[in-house]
Amino acid sequence: MWQTVITLCLLANLSGVRATCTYPYVAVGEKCLFFATMADIQYSEARQMCHSMGGELAAVLTATQFKDIVYYIYDYGYSGQHFWLDGTDSAVEGQWQTSAGLPLPMGTPFWATTYGNIEPNNKENEDCLEIHPARNYYMNDITCDAINSPLCEEDVVSSSRNVTAPTSCPRPYVELAGLCLAFITWADQGWAEARQTCHGLSGELAALTDIEQLRAVYLYLHQESIAFDSFWLGGSDIEQEGSWKWTDGEPVIMGTPFWGFKENINSQQPQGGTAENCLYLDAQAGHYFSDGDCELLLNPLCMLEGQ
């Protein structure tokens, strides 16, 4: 499972951590970086993952920073991996900048260049930044819905976001409406497997028992640009059809304003009967509560145990 992979990756890098870097970040030149090789996700999800780890996608602003990252990739066995970096020209085509609004360096020695082709080339509306083994880890523009691993940098605060991972919630949890929640966008799992993923993070699938919690989650999903993802919650009526309970046995609140609709405004969820026994936040229906087949492959929304 992915939590085993992340543990092995982090343990392998412990010797590189210095006092100025907070675990699981390692010192790479002047930066504290986390090579999140357990996750293969889109650009927006990669940013959210870095935010939940107390950072941002790594910004490369000098030639030395770029050299240090490339050398580290080869020296520490990441040479088969491909990574997202902090950079986009989605606001104005051709004007590449970080999430904090800093201009990215162009040309040599950063971007890949061959006869007749100079990156970034916006070949297919490519607005996001990657480094990839196919280009020997030179920078390349790529579509933002491509799949790469996040390369996170610690404590880089972006002017475009307001949520940080507070010290009261251990990483990768973030604090929302008094809860420590982890949005596991890098795992697509059935409900039972999603519970196991949360258990591996000392948590459980989230129970949203107050409407302000649902509102806070909704705002976070849009702020972090992961509103296209659906998330498992810790509710089900597996034991008794129609009797919805959280994993701790407490009843799930029914009706408005928690439960939404799928196709017909006159038929409020849950409507799936015995075929749909697990609770999730449905991206296609405004992230209201919905019942679904427990084998659907969705992202876990974990809550730290003891809350």
Side-chain angles (χ1 to χ4, degrees), residues 84-108:
W84 289 118
L85 294 179
D86 184 8
T88 180
D89 70 341
S90 59
V92 179
E93 175 58 35
Q95 294 185 17
W96 284 85
Q97 61 183 20
T98 70
S99 57
L102 299 175
L104 284 177
M106 307 305 293
T108 303

Side-chain angles (χ1 to χ4, degrees), residues 85-281:
L85 294 179
D86 184 8
T88 180
D89 70 341
S90 59
V92 179
E93 175 58 35
Q95 294 185 17
W96 284 85
Q97 61 183 20
T98 70
S99 57
L102 299 175
L104 284 177
M106 307 305 293
T108 303
F110 300 95
W111 294 82
T113 302
T114 59
Y115 288 136
N117 182 56
I118 299 175
E119 300 290 353
N121 59 12
N122 196 39
K123 185 176 182 181
E124 297 177 356
N125 296 318
E126 298 171 327
D127 293 328
C128 288
L129 180 62
E130 68 167 1
I131 50 175
H132 197 286
R135 287 171 171 76
N136 294 306
Y137 289 104
Y138 284 104
M139 291 182 183
N140 177 57
D141 58 336
I142 192 72
T143 57
C144 299
D145 59 358
I147 301 298
N148 288 318
S149 297
L151 176 51
C152 303
E153 178 178 355
E154 186 178 22
D155 293 332
V156 174
V157 180
S158 168
S159 60
S160 65
R161 65 187 180 94
N162 297 315
V163 174
T164 59
T167 55
S168 58
C169 294
R171 296 167 181 168
Y173 290 93
V174 296
E175 186 175 3
L176 295 173
L179 299 177
C180 290
L181 299 176
F183 297 77
I184 312 300
T185 56
W186 55 95
D188 295 312
Q189 301 172 325
W191 189 79
E193 187 180 3
R195 285 196 70 190
Q196 292 300 314
T197 292
C198 293
H199 294 169
L201 292 172
S202 300
E204 178 58 272
L205 283 174
L208 303 182
T209 59
D210 184 282
I211 198 58
E212 293 297 343
Q213 295 168 353
L214 179 60
R215 177 60 176 171
V217 167
Y218 173 84
L219 293 176
Y220 181 84
L221 293 174
H222 285 268
Q223 178 177 298
E224 294 294 302
S225 300
I226 54 172
F228 292 106
D229 292 332
S230 296
F231 290 87
W232 285 122
L233 295 177
S236 75
D237 68 344
I238 294 174
E239 293 185 359
Q240 181 180 348
E241 175 60 30
S243 179
W244 285 85
K245 295 182 179 180
W246 301 110
T247 54
D248 63 2
E250 292 297 312
V252 176
I253 300 174
M254 306 305 292
T256 304
F258 288 90
W259 292 78
F261 311 89
K262 283 188 178 177
E263 298 177 0
N264 189 338
I265 197 71
N266 296 316
S267 58
Q268 192 170 24
Q269 300 294 350
Q271 290 287 324
T274 58
E276 298 182 349
N277 298 121
C278 291
L279 181 63
Y280 73 104
L281 297 177

